[in-house]
Amino acid sequence: MTDPVRQQYVWRYLAVNQLKSGHLPLRNPYSFAGTRLLANLQSAVFYPLNILFFLMPFPIAWSVSVLLSTFLAAFFMYLYLANLSLSKMASFLGGLIFAFSGYAIAWLEWNTILHTAAWIPLSLLSIDAIAHHHSGKIPGKYMFWLIFSLTVSFLAGHLQIFAYGILLAAAYALFRLLQVRQKRARNLFIFSFCFLI
């Protein structure tokens, strides 16, 4: 028996059922004398794509969620690579390689790890958009996407992968700050604001 069968599937099932019955899933009464459920990040209680579990039966929603993590990983990586002025074919292949890498496939069954990693390319794309935004206005929509992608990555349910992702995004933002000299102070403020949020 692997962890997804003993933990991730069961925790999500319990959390979704408690939410459906109108209760905040604070605890898991079936482990020991009761353990935390809402405070257990891997139960992914507040992950926005949990909406699937309210629209279809749980086993089908779980399967769709697994497939969706692969699609999101490929799609967001494609967008990020296309933004780097790579050809459509190179961007497409890069997206496929990211979504179907050995790492992604090996951890796919967890239904948390790839969901957490899938949002990282969107955060990198948002960082690029902020760094290269030249109009006088604050790039509000790009700030929203950066905050959203980091938040959703956190809520997806795997803290270790999120930590890697936010460190990568912070290093990438610093790299872009050093690379793009225009409006450096403004961008430093925007990146700091977004990461703090």
Side-chain angles (χ1 to χ4, degrees):
M1 295 286 256
T2 61
D3 287 345
V5 174
R6 292 179 300 184
Q7 294 177 336
Q8 274 74 23
Y9 189 90
V10 177
W11 289 335
R12 189 81 57 96
Y13 182 79
L14 183 59
V16 166
N17 279 347
Q18 287 185 25
L19 287 170
K20 283 182 176 179
S21 67
H23 298 96
L24 198 58
L26 297 175
R27 62 187 292 274
N28 175 1
Y30 303 109
S31 289
F32 304 110
T35 57
R36 67 193 188 281
L37 183 62
L38 183 66
N40 176 1
L41 187 64
Q42 293 187 75
S43 62
V45 173
F46 296 116
Y47 187 52
L49 295 181
N50 281 348
I51 191 73
L52 295 170
F53 297 102
F54 292 86
L55 301 175
M56 51 188 80
F58 190 88
I60 294 172
W62 182 268
S63 299
V64 170
S65 182
V66 169
L67 294 172
L68 190 58
S69 68
T70 303
F71 171 77
L72 290 174
F75 179 67
F76 291 146
M77 183 57 82
Y78 169 82
L79 292 178
Y80 169 67
L81 294 174
N83 179 64
L84 296 179
S85 300
L86 296 177
S87 69
K88 287 185 178 181
M89 182 55 76
S91 301
F92 177 75
L93 289 175
L96 284 181
I97 289 168
F98 179 65
F100 292 99
S101 65
Y103 176 84
I105 296 301
W107 295 104
L108 187 62
E109 65 180 318
W110 281 55
N111 209 10
T112 56
I113 293 178
L114 190 55
H115 273 283
T116 303
W119 297 93
I120 295 169
L122 183 60
S123 66
L124 301 180
L125 175 63
S126 303
I127 289 167
D128 273 349
I130 291 168
H132 292 96
H133 187 75
H134 296 300
S135 77
K137 296 180 180 178
I138 292 179
K141 65 181 177 181
Y142 303 127
M143 290 172 61
F144 168 80
W145 284 114
L146 178 56
I147 294 168
F148 180 79
S149 62
L150 292 174
T151 303
V152 173
S153 180
F154 175 75
L155 295 175
H158 205 272
L159 188 58
Q160 182 180 1
I161 302 307
F162 171 73
Y164 296 152
I166 199 163
L167 286 174
L168 173 65
Y172 191 71
L174 181 61
F175 170 73
R176 286 301 189 202
L177 275 174
L178 296 174
Q179 188 181 44
V180 179
R181 292 193 173 100
Q182 299 169 335
K183 301 190 179 183
R184 190 175 283 174
R186 181 203 73 164
N187 288 344
L188 176 61
F189 172 77
I190 290 172
F191 289 142
S192 300
F193 175 78
C194 291
F195 279 92
L196 285 173
I197 293 294

